[in-house]
Amino acid sequence: MLDDATTRSGGTATAAQQAAASELAVPAPIPARAGFATRCSRALLSPWSRLSLLLVLLAAAATSVLLFEPQKLMANGWPPQVHGPLALVLFAVAYGLVTVAFVPRPLLNLAAGALFGSALGMGAAMAGTVIGAAISFALGRMLGQDALRPLLRGRLLTAADRQFSKHGFRSMLAVRLFPGVPFWAANYAAAVSRMGYFPFLLATALGSIPNIAAYVVAGARASQPTSPVFLIAVAAIALPGLAGAVVAWRKRHHLRRR
């Protein structure tokens, strides 16, 4: 029994000594390399670094378009050996990429009609529109949203953001149906808002149909400028543009009063 007591007292003393030693022990320093790597990764993944990367990518894309002018190749110099379904796929992919680089879509829609006719040109232009919108939205959402959302100040910006965030589908549908807002501007505005990815793409696809159809038909019938089909297509281009300008003017004054 005495031995048990001694053993317990010795065990207690040893445990106390170990606890005291652990309290006095200095934690091992974090290697300097690991700390530097962590700081670098945080800086590279910060919202402003991602926004800077987005701006660099867009500037590089716009510069390459100015230098190489791929829109002229699509409209006037399409390789003759590329034809059939492959030509449609390549045109749609190229269409989407150059719209990200701010190439105006009306020119591309006219080229689609001139190269492939009304039906096939419509399909190629629609696919390119959705591809370009998807790429722009993804870039804006991943690289620009966190940095730009805190800067949404002012009556017009906050009202537009609230409209896109709460009524994303119908707001984007209206923007696509009534041209006036540039394609790329609508894409990045939607990406900075809290609009969902699927409503954005669906509204883009549905709302772009009338405008694309008018330009594609005009491009397909450009060799017959006096034909009724061509004149109807031109009217379908002009009237929505005028209506969109009127709606935008009235909406702007309504937002200013609020």
Side-chain angles (χ1 to χ4, degrees):
M1 184 179 294
L2 183 60
D3 293 340
D4 293 341
T6 304
T7 302
R8 287 195 299 270
S9 62
T12 305
T14 303
Q17 292 175 357
Q18 291 176 350
S22 64
E23 291 178 357
L24 295 176
V26 179
I30 300 176
R33 291 182 179 179
F36 179 74
T38 302
R39 289 194 296 271
C40 286
S41 63
R42 288 178 180 175
L44 291 175
L45 295 177
S46 66
W48 286 105
S49 296
R50 285 180 283 160
L51 178 61
S52 301
L53 176 60
L54 175 62
L55 295 178
V56 169
L57 291 175
L58 295 179
T63 302
S64 64
V65 166
L66 291 176
L67 292 177
F68 301 106
E69 297 183 330
Q71 68 274 18
K72 288 187 177 180
L73 173 66
M74 295 171 66
N76 304 321
W78 192 254
Q81 63 271 21
V82 180
H83 53 83
L86 178 61
L88 291 173
V89 172
L90 291 179
F91 184 91
V93 173
Y95 183 116
L97 292 177
V98 297
T99 55
V100 176
F102 314 116
V103 173
R105 287 174 56 249
L107 175 63
L108 303 176
N109 294 331
L110 291 171
L115 291 172
F116 304 109
S118 299
L120 295 178
M122 178 72 183
M126 279 295 303
T129 296
V130 174
I131 291 173
I135 294 174
S136 299
F137 188 90
L139 288 175
R141 179 60 57 89
M142 291 187 298
L143 300 179
Q145 186 187 45
D146 292 339
L148 293 178
R149 280 204 66 81
L151 303 179
L152 293 177
R153 300 171 184 174
R155 187 176 300 175
L156 291 177
L157 289 177
T158 54
D161 175 66
R162 183 166 55 251
Q163 187 72 19
F164 275 128
S165 299
K166 292 184 177 180
H167 311 288
F169 176 80
R170 72 183 189 188
S171 299
M172 183 53 58
L173 186 65
V175 168
R176 301 305 191 196
L177 284 173
F178 297 101
V181 180
F183 182 71
W184 60 269
N187 294 339
Y188 291 114
V192 174
S193 73
R194 294 188 174 89
M195 183 187 300
Y197 198 77
F198 179 74
F200 167 77
L201 290 181
L202 182 60
T204 296
L206 295 177
S208 299
I209 291 175
N211 184 259
I212 291 177
Y215 275 100
V216 169
V217 172
R221 297 299 183 98
S223 60
Q224 302 171 350
T226 58
S227 65
V229 176
F230 180 82
L231 295 176
I232 292 173
V234 172
I237 293 171
L239 292 178
L242 179 62
V246 172
V247 171
W249 182 79
R250 294 186 61 183
K251 190 70 174 177
R252 181 180 179 184
H253 282 269
H254 176 68
L255 291 174
R256 281 183 174 179
R257 294 191 194 101
R258 292 175 61 182

